[in-house]
């Protein structure tokens, strides 16, 4: 590891970035350096600007473009202590993409859990769906985070480095007890290959895709799909949006409002205008 990379990582750690964010930023800077085939501290201001514009021209996603901008901003502004970022920051950000997430229907969720034969996988998937947790939050859960008296799950340092509580329903508690009796986890609720080693973040998603294929579900799913389905199904059941916001751990209600565009129950309940036209036509004919 080069001294510059180590200093960059240390600077990000001092800013209290999560290990996942640090990894993403370091990878973005590494690709930037590979593009120029030299150290980033020798790249000129105009070359940085041209690189970001090239990313936009290549059609990379908005999220990746923003990651690159942020990674380079921290590198040049904080680690290299150079003012080069001033002109680069004037490049307009790509317009935010509005894409609705994939959501499973309640019937598809039933089919999914009907074909899960591995109890550990079933318990892990159910925590994502019934408690609405992110995969990173699930894999960090410890046995003492489950409070069966208050019926809550403690989330330690979730997104944004914040603690919060999620609900623990009786059905989920019963499933987790059944899982514990069979697998006897000691510390982490869902350990990896060894008792104190965490699952790889990608592993549950791969397992979920296999289960979905077995259940005949053709949608492009990820572990986050279960969280999206959790929020959408609660909204369709009439749960207040503010309550869903708290359950998801969203800082801003605008993030939760996304699910009002996904829920179709109220749209289905709206009257069919074509029927109005047919009724009007029928009354005209009778006249």
């Amino acid at each position: 590891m080069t001294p510059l990379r180590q200093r960059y990582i240390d600077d990000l750690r001092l800013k209290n970035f999560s290990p996942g964010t640090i990894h993403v930023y370091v990878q973005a800077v590494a690709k930037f350096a590979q593009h120029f085939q030299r150290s980033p501290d020798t790249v000129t201001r105009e070359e940085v600007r041209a690189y970001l514009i090239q990313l936009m021209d290549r059609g990379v996603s908005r999220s990746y473009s923003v990651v690159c901008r942020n990674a380079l901003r921290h590198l040049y502004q904080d680690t290299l202590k150079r003012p080069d970022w001033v002109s680069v920051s004037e490049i307009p950000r790509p317009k935010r993409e509005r894409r609705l997430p994939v959501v499973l229907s309640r019937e598809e969720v039933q089919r999914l859990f009907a074909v899960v034969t591995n109890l550990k996988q079933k318990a892990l998937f159910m925590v994502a769906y019934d408690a609405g947790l992110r995969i990173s939050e699930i894999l960090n859960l410890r046995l003492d985070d489950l409070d069966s008296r208050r019926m809550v799950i403690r989330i330690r340092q979730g997104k944004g480095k914040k603690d919060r509580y999620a609900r623990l329903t009786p059905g989920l508690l019963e499933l987790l007890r059944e899982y514990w009796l069979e697998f006897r986890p000691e510390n982490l609720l869902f350990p990896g290959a060894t008792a104190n080693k965490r699952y790889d973040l990608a592993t549950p998603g791969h397992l979920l895709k296999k289960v979905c294929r077995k259940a005949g579900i053709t949608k492009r799913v990820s572990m986050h799909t279960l969280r999206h389905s959790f929020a959408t199904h609660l909204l369709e059941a009439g749960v207040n949006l503010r309550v869903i916001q708290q359950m998801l751990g969203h800082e801003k209600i605008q993030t939760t409002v996304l699910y009002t565009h996904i829920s179709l129950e109220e749209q289905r309940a709206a009257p069919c205008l074509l029927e109005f036209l047919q009724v009007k036509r029928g009354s005209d004919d009778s006249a």
Side-chain angles (χ1 to χ4, degrees):
M1 181 182 294
T2 66
L4 176 58
R5 176 179 286 205
Q6 185 60 62
R7 190 162 72 250
Y8 180 58
I9 292 174
D10 291 342
D11 287 341
L12 294 176
R13 290 179 61 198
L14 287 171
K15 288 195 168 188
N16 204 27
F17 282 114
S18 69
T21 300
I22 293 174
H23 175 76
V24 170
Y25 281 7
V26 169
Q27 290 299 107
V29 172
K31 289 184 178 180
F32 172 77
Q34 290 170 5
H35 175 80
F36 290 102
Q37 292 295 301
R38 62 183 196 271
S39 176
D41 60 358
T42 66
V43 177
T44 67
R45 176 179 58 190
E46 289 305 315
E47 285 176 321
V48 176
R49 181 183 177 88
Y51 177 78
L52 292 174
I53 293 174
Q54 176 193 294
L55 288 180
M56 297 167 64
D57 292 340
R58 281 167 43 193
V60 300
S61 68
R62 178 191 182 276
S63 59
Y64 182 72
S65 178
V66 171
V67 163
C68 289
R69 287 169 56 94
N70 291 341
L72 294 175
R73 175 168 58 84
H74 288 295
L75 174 68
Y76 284 102
Q77 183 174 289
D78 302 325
T79 302
L80 292 175
K81 307 297 182 184
R82 284 169 49 178
D84 304 84
W85 182 256
V86 175
S87 65
V88 178
S89 62
E90 295 173 357
I91 301 174
R93 281 179 173 244
K95 187 175 180 181
R96 181 179 294 275
E97 302 160 343
R98 183 183 174 191
R99 297 183 180 179
L100 296 179
V102 174
V103 171
L104 299 178
S105 68
R106 278 169 281 191
E107 185 270 336
E108 286 173 325
V109 172
Q110 291 174 341
R111 280 162 47 198
L112 186 156
F113 284 106
V115 300
V116 181
T117 55
N118 183 290
L119 186 56
K120 182 176 182 179
Q121 294 177 21
K122 185 175 184 179
L124 192 152
F125 296 157
M126 190 60 79
V127 172
Y129 175 68
D130 193 59
L133 270 56
R134 301 176 179 92
I135 181 59
S136 58
E137 296 169 343
I138 296 172
L139 299 186
N140 285 323
L141 284 178
R142 300 178 181 276
L143 290 176
D144 57 4
D145 290 330
L146 304 177
D147 188 340
S148 59
R149 291 186 177 181
R150 297 177 58 210
M151 295 302 287
V152 294
I153 304 173
R154 181 183 178 184
I155 312 301
R156 303 170 188 259
Q157 297 295 283
K159 189 173 182 179
K161 296 283 186 179
K162 296 178 181 178
D163 290 356
R164 76 175 197 279
Y165 287 102
R167 71 172 186 178
L168 176 62
T169 62
L172 179 57
L173 177 61
E174 182 180 352
L175 176 61
L176 289 175
R177 282 173 171 165
E178 184 181 351
Y179 155 71
W180 184 85
L181 287 172
E182 179 171 334
F183 288 87
R184 299 282 178 169
E186 299 175 2
N187 190 6
L188 290 170
L189 182 60
F190 297 109
T194 58
N196 293 312
K197 183 178 180 181
R198 288 179 175 80
Y199 249 136
D200 182 271
L201 271 174
T203 300
H206 293 318
L207 296 173
L208 179 62
K209 287 180 173 65
K210 290 182 179 179
V211 171
C212 284
R213 286 197 294 268
K214 185 177 179 181
I217 299 171
T218 57
K219 295 177 179 176
R220 296 185 63 179
V221 299
S222 66
M223 285 297 297
H224 218 66
T225 302
L226 296 177
R227 177 174 159 89
H228 290 319
S229 303
F230 159 85
T232 304
H233 296 168
L234 285 179
L235 185 64
E236 292 178 342
V239 178
N240 184 277
L241 200 62
R242 288 287 183 183
V243 175
I244 298 175
Q245 176 192 1
Q246 294 176 346
M247 296 174 80
L248 291 171
H250 286 163
E251 183 176 357
K252 298 179 180 179
I253 189 65
Q254 289 85 348
T255 307
T256 318
V257 167
L258 167 70
Y259 295 102
T260 62
H261 300 289
I262 303 173
S263 175
L264 299 177
E265 289 299 306
E266 291 185 0
Q267 295 183 37
R268 294 191 186 101
C272 174
L273 299 183
L274 182 59
E275 292 179 358
F276 287 168
L277 293 176
Q278 290 172 343
V279 170
K280 182 68 168 64
R281 181 180 177 182
S283 61
D284 289 344
D285 291 343
S286 62

